[in-house]
């Protein structure tokens, strides 16, 4: 069995090279499609990964038992899910480690790793190593490294995951054979996971080739295109994407016979890299960090643009907006220095949805989440003032919130969308129908 070694400065348990050979890594599942691809990428680099897909009230209860109830709801859920897994008896506790991401910002994504270690000690699991996945050099472990090869596979996983999620959401409401879009996701997840086994399939040329094949397959699904209400989902990244965090919001919206529009993960990743690019201008900083971040951002933007261009070849599907255009939209609404949590990107995603014809939006936020209250709920009044057809509802998620309460508020928003549609108010507005930025609106009123 691998020897337990602690960091001399912090006392935390290090994940060693010996542990990599022997240990099972438990990872909370935030995006069902993306994380299956991420886990396969990790497996290809020698890590034994298990995605936690458990649900149930016991996870919330376990979180409440080990984390203060004022703590961010996503942190409570992730910690509760991990400890619930350790309690399950399914894993050898002498050969199990936990893995979570850290973005380096001033939010839970950087800080709850310490809450997790505190909860582990409280529950008698103080010898369980916790691995931080980050690009900020915050915590390092001898047995885990983000190599260029692994980063490349993870980026490809984001590209594939975003494409599959977008195509399924634009197909599912109109498919003639129910379940066809989900079957296509399963088909391509299996193909891509199999391809990740060989390095010859992890190339720029192969990914572009596969994007076209995926689009062609989804384009072949028979549909009955009708005029349905579109509802976008934005908010704190975990509750926006994770069914555990948002009480299966997407399934609920689908049951209401609407088309669900969810911004891709790539925007958030580029946003986090872009923060490092603009930091020297706003706050000061080294040129080396700026240079490296700029190069990585251009690399990610290139992939996003490739995906957008691939989708444009198929008129049935609507491509997402480029990150740079979304960034331009927030001028006059919120500054680029607002970067805690989802920061200005949350405002940008709401504007992107409204300007692309998705006027109805559910803004998901953990109760008491300050970044979301500022850049999400706090911006709703101004967005509605400058974009008259915007129909936005903010939904809080916390241990005490009931799904029925949340769903009733969303139903009211959908009812309002139907009323707006029946009364002749623009339902599918395009970018040309609006002033692009608040700055331009102010110029027109001088």
């Amino acid at each position: 069995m691998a020897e337990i070694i602690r960091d001399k400065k912090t006392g935390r348990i290090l994940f060693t090279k010996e542990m990599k050979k022997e240990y099972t890594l438990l990872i909370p599942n935030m995006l069902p499609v993306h994380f299956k691809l991420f886990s396969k990428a990790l497996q290809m680099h020698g890590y034994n990964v298990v995605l936690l897909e458990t649900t149930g009230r016991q996870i919330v209860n376990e979180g409440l038992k080990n984390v203060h109830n004022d703590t961010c709801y996503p942190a409570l859920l992730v910690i509760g899910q991990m400890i619930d897994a350790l309690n399950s008896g399914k894993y050898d506790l002498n050969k199990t480690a936990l893995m979570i991401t850290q973005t380096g910002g001033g939010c839970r994504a950087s800080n709850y790793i310490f809450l997790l270690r505190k909860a582990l000690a409280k529950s008698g699991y103080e010898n369980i190593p916790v691995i931080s996945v980050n690009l900020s050099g915050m915590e390092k472990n001898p047995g885990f490294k983000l190599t260029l090869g692994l980063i490349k596979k993870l980026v490809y996983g984001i590209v594939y995951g975003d494409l599959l999620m977008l195509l399924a959401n634009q197909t599912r409401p109109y498919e003639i054979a129910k379940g066809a879009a989900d079957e296509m996701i399963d088909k391509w997840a299996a193909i891509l996971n199999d391809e990740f086994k060989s390095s010859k399939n992890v190339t720029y040329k192969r990914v572009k080739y596969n994007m076209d094949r995926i689009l062609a397959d989804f384009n072949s699904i028979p549909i009955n295109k009708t005029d349905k209400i579109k509802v976008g989902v934005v908010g704190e990244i975990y509750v926006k994407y994770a069914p555990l965090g948002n009480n299966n919001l997407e399934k609920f919206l689908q049951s209401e016979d609407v088309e669900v529009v969810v911004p891709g993960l790539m925007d958030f990743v580029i946003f986090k890299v872009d923060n490092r690019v603009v930091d020297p201008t706003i706050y000061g900083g080294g040129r080396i960090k700026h240079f490296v971040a700029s190069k990585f951002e251009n690399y990610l933007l290139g992939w996003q643009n490739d995906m957008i261009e691939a989708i444009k070849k198929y008129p049935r599907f609507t491509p997402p907006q480029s990150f740079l255009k979304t960034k331009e939209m927030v001028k006059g609404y919120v500054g680029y220095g607002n970067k805690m949590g989802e920061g200005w990107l949350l405002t940008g995603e709401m504007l992107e949805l409204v300007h692309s014809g998705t006027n109805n939006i559910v803004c998901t936020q953990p109760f008491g989440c300050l970044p979301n209250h500022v850049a999400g709920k706090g911006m709703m009044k101004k967005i509605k003032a400058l974009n008259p057809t915007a129909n936005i509802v903010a939904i809080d998620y916390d241990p005490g919130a009931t799904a029925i309460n949340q769903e009733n508020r969303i139903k009211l928003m959908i009812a309002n969308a139907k009323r707006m549609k029946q009364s002749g108010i623009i339902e599918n507005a395009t970018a040309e129908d609006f002033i692009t930025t608040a700055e331009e609106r102010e110029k027109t009123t001088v």
Side-chain angles (χ1 to χ4, degrees), residues 152 156 201-209 302-303 306:
K152 192 176 177 182
Y156 291 172
N201 294 319
V202 188
T203 64
Y204 173 79
K205 184 177 180 180
R206 186 67 183 183
V207 177
K208 287 199 70 177
Y209 172 67
W303 272 116
D306 284 341

Side-chain angles (χ1 to χ4, degrees), residues 168-440:
N169 280 337
Q170 292 187 18
T171 301
R172 202 177 281 118
Y174 313 105
E175 60 191 9
I176 293 173
K178 292 302 177 184
D182 291 326
E183 288 177 9
M184 193 64 75
I185 285 180
D186 292 339
K187 170 190 170 180
W188 271 102
I191 291 172
L192 297 172
N193 280 335
D194 189 59
E195 285 200 357
F196 270 2
K197 295 176 183 178
S198 174
S199 58
K200 70 179 182 181
N201 294 319
V202 188
T203 64
Y204 173 79
K205 184 177 180 180
R206 186 67 183 183
V207 177
K208 287 199 70 177
Y209 172 67
N210 280 339
M211 282 197 290
D212 193 66
R213 293 170 65 203
I214 292 169
L215 278 155
D217 268 2
F218 272 91
N219 194 56
S220 70
I221 296 175
I223 62 170
N224 178 26
K225 189 72 173 180
T226 55
D227 186 18
K228 293 185 183 291
I229 288 172
K230 294 181 180 180
V231 177
V233 179
V234 300
E236 189 277 333
I237 188 169
Y238 186 84
V239 295
K240 174 170 69 174
Y241 290 129
L244 178 62
N246 59 35
N247 289 326
N248 288 293
L249 175 59
E250 285 192 50
K251 282 191 175 180
F252 168 72
L253 289 172
Q254 290 160 17
S255 72
E256 292 295 307
D257 196 31
V258 303
E259 179 182 331
V260 184
V261 184
V262 186
L265 179 62
M266 183 63 84
D267 273 342
F268 180 80
V269 176
I270 299 175
F271 166 71
K272 286 301 176 184
V273 177
D274 185 72
N275 288 339
R276 272 70 175 176
V277 175
V278 302
D279 273 355
T281 303
I282 301 176
Y283 304 112
R287 294 181 180 179
I288 295 177
K289 182 175 76 170
H290 174 83
F291 176 78
V292 174
S294 296
K295 290 292 184 183
F296 191 41
E297 181 176 30
N298 288 335
Y299 172 70
L300 296 173
L301 287 169
W303 272 116
Q304 185 180 62
N305 290 334
D306 284 341
M307 185 178 73
I308 290 171
E309 292 304 313
I311 296 171
K312 285 181 179 178
K313 298 176 186 176
Y314 293 83
R316 180 196 287 190
F317 304 112
T318 303
Q321 180 174 277
S322 72
F323 172 84
L324 294 179
K325 190 172 181 181
T326 302
K327 183 179 178 181
E328 182 68 20
M329 275 186 169
V330 301
K331 287 183 177 179
Y333 286 90
V334 62
Y336 297 143
N338 187 322
K339 60 177 188 173
M340 293 299 104
E342 289 62 42
W344 63 257
L345 179 64
L346 177 48
T347 303
E349 285 183 338
M350 288 192 284
L351 291 169
E352 175 190 350
L353 288 168
V354 173
H355 283 248
S356 64
T358 303
N359 310 299
N360 314 294
I361 301 170
V362 178
C363 185
T364 63
Q365 51 189 35
F367 179 75
C369 176
L370 183 58
N372 272 253
H373 277 285
V374 172
K377 195 172 185 179
M379 295 308 302
M380 285 168 52
K381 182 177 180 180
K382 187 164 189 176
I383 291 172
K384 289 178 179 179
L386 300 185
N387 303 274
T389 64
N391 178 30
I392 311 171
V393 62
I395 303 295
D396 288 330
Y397 291 86
D398 67 25
T402 62
I404 191 68
N405 217 353
Q406 294 159 348
E407 290 170 0
N408 282 340
R409 295 197 63 216
I410 295 169
K411 284 182 178 181
L412 286 173
M413 183 272 290
I414 295 174
N416 188 43
K418 292 177 179 177
R419 180 192 62 78
M420 291 169 67
K421 188 173 184 179
Q422 291 171 357
S423 64
I425 298 175
I426 299 173
E427 169 60 25
N428 292 310
T430 62
E432 288 72 26
D433 295 306
F434 300 96
I435 301 300
T436 303
T437 67
E439 286 181 342
E440 291 181 15

Side-chain angles (χ1 to χ4, degrees), residues 39-164:
S39 63
K40 181 57 66 174
L42 288 164
Q43 288 170 15
M44 293 302 100
H45 284 259
Y47 303 99
N48 180 25
V49 174
V50 173
L51 282 178
L52 298 178
E53 301 182 85
T54 48
T55 59
R57 181 67 194 184
Q58 81 280 359
I59 289 174
V60 176
N61 292 338
E62 201 61 55
L64 287 169
K65 191 189 303 181
N66 290 281
V67 183
H68 195 281
N69 64 353
D70 282 342
T71 299
C72 178
Y73 186 49
L76 183 145
L77 284 178
V78 169
I79 293 170
Q81 188 179 43
M82 286 181 160
I83 293 180
D84 179 65
L86 297 175
N87 289 340
S88 68
K90 295 180 181 178
Y91 310 101
D92 182 349
L93 299 180
N94 294 315
K95 294 183 179 180
T96 300
L98 308 177
M99 178 181 284
I100 61 172
T101 56
Q102 284 185 287
T103 59
C107 201
R108 64 155 186 102
S110 295
N111 300 313
Y112 79 67
I113 192 168
F114 307 106
L115 293 174
L116 174 57
R117 291 192 176 113
K118 184 178 179 181
L120 289 172
K122 182 179 179 181
S123 301
Y125 300 129
E126 59 272 4
N127 289 330
I128 301 287
V130 180
I131 301 171
S132 164
V133 182
N134 69 85
L135 293 171
S136 305
M138 295 178 66
E139 287 191 359
K140 298 179 180 179
N141 290 279
F144 179 80
K145 290 184 179 179
L146 279 174
T147 62
L148 287 176
L150 178 55
I151 291 173
K152 192 176 177 182
K153 289 188 178 73
L154 294 175
V155 170
Y156 291 172
I158 295 172
V159 174
Y160 285 136
D162 279 0
L163 181 61
L164 289 169

Side-chain angles (χ1 to χ4, degrees), residues 4-15 114 117 121 126-130 139-141:
I4 292 177
I5 301 174
R6 294 183 180 272
D7 182 88
K8 292 180 180 179
K9 291 184 178 180
T10 64
R12 67 180 176 86
I13 297 174
L14 298 175
F15 184 78
F114 307 106
R117 291 192 176 113
E126 59 272 4
N127 289 330
I128 301 287
V130 180
E139 287 191 359
K140 298 179 180 179
N141 290 279

